[in-house]
Amino acid sequence: MPTTFKISGMSCGHCVMAVKKALAGVPGISEAKVEIGSAVISAEGALNVEAVKAAIEDAGYDVVSAQ
Ligand SMILES: [Cu+2]
C-alpha cells in the first residue's frame, strides 16, 4: 500500500519539484506522486516514513500527516 503524506507549505510547481528532488535522495522509494499539498509514495519494501519526513522537512516543508 502506498503511503500518503500531507504536506503544508507547498504552493506551486517549484515546490512540487523541490519535494520530488528531496524524495529522490531517500532510498527504497519505487514511486512518488507529488502534487501541491501531498505526496503518495510507494516503496520496494517497508517505507522509512521517518526518512521521508526528514527529507521533506529538510527541503523546507512540513509533514502534517503520513498514513
Ligand atoms: Cu512553490
Side-chain angles (χ1 to χ4, degrees), residues 9-18 36 61:
M10 296 177 73
S11 59
C12 70
H14 290 107
C15 299
V16 171
M17 290 308 298
I36 293 169
Y61 307 99

Side-chain angles (χ1 to χ4, degrees), residues 5 23 26 29 41 47-57 63:
F5 292 78
L23 294 174
V26 179
I29 292 176
I41 300 175
L47 181 64
N48 187 337
V49 172
E50 291 307 315
V52 172
K53 276 187 184 179
I56 293 171
E57 289 175 358
V63 175

Side-chain angles (χ1 to χ4, degrees), residues 16-38:
V16 171
M17 290 308 298
V19 170
K20 280 185 179 172
K21 192 176 169 190
L23 294 174
V26 179
I29 292 176
S30 57
E31 187 179 18
K33 291 177 189 163
V34 182
E35 46 190 68
I36 293 169
S38 69

